[in-house]
C-alpha cells in the first residue's frame, strides 16, 4: 500500500507539472490583444500622408519580421514556463490574435465611423480605383498576417491544411494588389473584407487558443466538431460564451453582410469590366477579384454549415 501510495503521489505530482497554467497563459493572450487593439486604434486615428509602394512594402516586411520574433519568444516562454500543453500552437494563436486586432479594430472604425475615413468613396471610380487611407492600412496589416500565417502553416505540422494554405495565399495575393499596386484597386472594399470580417475571428481565436493550451490536436477538434469543452468552472463558461458570440458574429458578418457587400462589389466590378474605356489590366484584376469573391462566398457558407453542425453537437452534448 505504501508503494502504491507513493506511485499515486508521484503520478499526481507529474500531472501537476504537466498541467498548463491557464491563468498565466490567458493573461498573455489578453495582454497582447489589448496592446495590439490600442496600436490598431492609434493607427486608425493617426493622420499620415499617402505612402509610396516602397514604404508599404517596407512596413509589411518589418511587421512580418516582428510577428515572427513575437512568435519565437512566446513559443520558447510557453514551453519553458509550462503555460500551454502545445506551446507552438498557443504562440501561433497569440500572434494571430495580435494580427486580428490590427485589422479588425481599424476596419471597424473606418467602415462604421465615416469621420475616421475622409476618403469614403461615393462613386464607382472612387470605390474601385480611389485611394483610401483606411483600406491601405488594413491591406498592409492583412498582408503581413497572411504571409506569417502561410509560413507558420508549413512550420507547424498540425496546421498543414491545403485548404487553409490556399486561403492564405489567395487572400495575401489580393491584399498585395490592394496595398502595393501601382494603381490602387478596391482599397475601399478591403476595409470590410479584410478588416470588418476579422471581428468574428476574435472569438474563434480565443477558442482555438484554449484548445492549444489544453493540448488538443486539430484532428481531435475537427472530430468533435469544435464541441469539446476545455477547463472547468468560469473558464469553460467563458469558452462557451465565445462559441455563442462567434456563431452569432460569423453569420451576421461573414454570411449576411459578406453577401450584401459582395453584391455591391459585383455591381461596381461589372461596371468596370463593361466600360470600354477600362484598361485590359484593370478588367483582368476585376475578373480575378470577382472569381475569388465567389469562392470566398462558398467558403463562408461551407464554414457556416460546419458551425451549425458543431452547435448541434454542443447543444446535444455529443
Amino acid at each position: 500500500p505504501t508503494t502504491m501510495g507513493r506511485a499515486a503521489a508521484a503520478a499526481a505530482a507529474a500531472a501537476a507539472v504537466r498541467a498548463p497554467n491557464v491563468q498565466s497563459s490567458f493573461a498573455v493572450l489578453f495582454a497582447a490583444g489589448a496592446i495590439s487593439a490600442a496600436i490598431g486604434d492609434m493607427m486608425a486615428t493617426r493622420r499620415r500622408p499617402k505612402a509610396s509602394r516602397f514604404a508599404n512594402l517596407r512596413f509589411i516586411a518589418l511587421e512580418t519580421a516582428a510577428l515572427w520574433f513575437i512568435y519565437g519568444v512566446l513559443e520558447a516562454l510557453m514551453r519553458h514556463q509550462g503555460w500551454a500543453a502545445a506551446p507552438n500552437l498557443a504562440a501561433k494563436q497569440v500572434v494571430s490574435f495580435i494580427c486580428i486586432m490590427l485589422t479588425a479594430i481599424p476596419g471597424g472604425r473606418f467602415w462604421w465611423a465615416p469621420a475616421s475615413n475622409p476618403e469614403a468613396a461615393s462613386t464607382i471610380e472612387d470605390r474601385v480605383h480611389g485611394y483610401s487611407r483606411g483600406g491601405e492600412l488594413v491591406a498592409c496589416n492583412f498582408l503581413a498576417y497572411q504571409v506569417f500565417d502561410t509560413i507558420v502553416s508549413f512550420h507547424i505540422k498540425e496546421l498543414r491544411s491545403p485548404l487553409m494554405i490556399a486561403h492564405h495565399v489567395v487572400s495575401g495575393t489580393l491584399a498585395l494588389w490592394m496595398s502595393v499596386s501601382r494603381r490602387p484597386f478596391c482599397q475601399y472594399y478591403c476595409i470590410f473584407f479584410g478588416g470588418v470580417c476579422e471581428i468574428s475571428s476574435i472569438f474563434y481565436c480565443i477558442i482555438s487558443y484554449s484548445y492549444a493550451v489544453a493540448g488538443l490536436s486539430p484532428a481531435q477538434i475537427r472530430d468533435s466538431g469544435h464541441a469539446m469543452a476545455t477547463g472547468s468552472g468560469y473558464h469553460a463558461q467563458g469558452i462557451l460564451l465565445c462559441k455563442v458570440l462567434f456563431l452569432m458574429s460569423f453569420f451576421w458578418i461573414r454570411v449576411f453582410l459578406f453577401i450584401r457587400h459582395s453584391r455591391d462589389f459585383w455591381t461596381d466590378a461589372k461596371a468596370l469590366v463593361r466600360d470600354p474605356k477600362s484598361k485590359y489590366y484593370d478588367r483582368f484584376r476585376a475578373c480575378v477579384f470577382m472569381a475569388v469573391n465567389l469562392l470566398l462566398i462558398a467558403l463562408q457558407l461551407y464554414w457556416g454549415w460546419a458551425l451549425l453542425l458543431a452547435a448541434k453537437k454542443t447543444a446535444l452534448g455529443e
Side-chain angles (χ1 to χ4, degrees), residues 169-185:
V169 172
V170 172
S171 299
T173 302
L174 299 185
L176 182 68
W177 258 339
M178 295 176 181
S179 58
V180 298
S181 177
R182 179 176 57 85
R183 188 183 183 193
F185 193 75

Side-chain angles (χ1 to χ4, degrees), residues 10-311:
V17 172
R18 291 194 300 268
N21 189 327
V22 176
Q23 289 78 12
S24 298
S25 59
F26 271 89
V28 171
L29 177 70
F30 291 128
I35 294 172
S36 55
I39 294 175
D41 186 70
M42 181 184 66
M43 287 181 173
T45 55
R46 185 171 68 92
R47 303 296 178 183
R48 68 185 181 94
K50 182 179 179 179
S52 64
R53 285 185 294 164
F54 175 75
N56 284 340
L57 278 173
R58 182 178 57 190
F59 174 82
I60 293 166
L62 289 174
E63 183 175 346
T64 304
L67 294 177
W68 269 105
F69 175 77
I70 295 172
Y71 169 79
V73 171
L74 287 176
E75 197 273 341
L77 189 61
M78 289 184 175
R79 189 179 302 276
H80 182 264
Q81 297 292 335
W83 288 347
N88 55 349
L89 292 173
K92 187 269 177 187
Q93 291 301 333
V94 174
V95 175
S96 295
F97 200 52
I98 293 173
C99 295
I100 289 169
M101 289 298 183
L102 291 176
T103 53
I105 299 300
R109 175 181 282 273
F110 285 125
W111 193 255
W112 285 311
S116 302
N117 188 26
E119 303 87 8
S122 57
T123 66
I124 293 178
E125 179 65 20
D126 290 338
R127 290 191 293 271
V128 176
H129 287 132
Y131 170 74
S132 170
R133 179 176 63 89
E136 182 182 61
L137 174 62
V138 171
C140 288
N141 287 332
F142 188 77
L143 178 55
Y145 179 24
Q146 297 306 317
V147 172
F148 168 81
D149 241 357
T150 302
I151 299 174
V152 82
S153 295
F154 287 101
H155 175 67
I156 301 177
K157 182 179 180 181
E158 293 85 353
L159 300 179
R160 293 175 193 167
S161 166
L163 178 61
M164 291 308 300
I165 291 176
H167 173 265
H168 299 326
V169 172
V170 172
S171 299
T173 302
L174 299 185
L176 182 68
W177 258 339
M178 295 176 181
S179 58
V180 298
S181 177
R182 179 176 57 85
R183 188 183 183 193
F185 193 75
C186 288
Q187 288 187 348
Y188 167 78
Y189 285 108
C190 183
I191 298 174
F192 174 79
F193 292 109
V196 175
C197 284
E198 292 300 319
I199 293 176
S200 64
S201 299
I202 293 174
F203 307 109
Y204 179 75
C205 193
I206 297 174
I207 298 168
S208 298
Y209 184 73
S210 71
Y211 290 140
V213 169
L216 299 176
S217 68
Q220 290 175 308
I221 299 169
R222 285 193 300 269
D223 291 342
S224 71
H226 285 268
M228 283 185 169
T230 60
S232 58
Y234 290 116
H235 178 211
Q237 293 174 10
I239 297 303
L240 179 60
L241 176 62
C242 285
K243 289 181 178 181
V244 174
L245 292 175
F246 174 59
L247 184 68
M248 295 171 59
S249 61
F250 184 93
F251 279 95
W252 176 50
I253 297 176
R254 287 186 173 264
V255 176
F256 174 70
L257 291 182
F258 196 98
I259 295 176
R260 176 183 176 183
H261 294 305
S262 292
R263 180 195 61 189
D264 299 335
F265 161 72
W266 269 73
T267 300
D268 291 342
K270 286 190 297 183
L272 173 66
V273 171
R274 293 171 180 173
D275 187 354
K277 298 180 181 179
S278 298
K279 297 180 180 180
Y280 175 79
Y281 179 60
D282 291 335
R283 295 180 185 177
F284 169 73
R285 289 197 296 185
C287 290
V288 171
F289 272 58
M290 287 191 290
V292 172
N293 179 258
L294 285 178
L295 293 176
L296 290 177
I297 290 176
L299 194 59
Q300 308 308 318
L301 295 176
Y302 169 76
W303 283 337
W305 177 249
L307 282 175
L308 289 178
L309 294 179

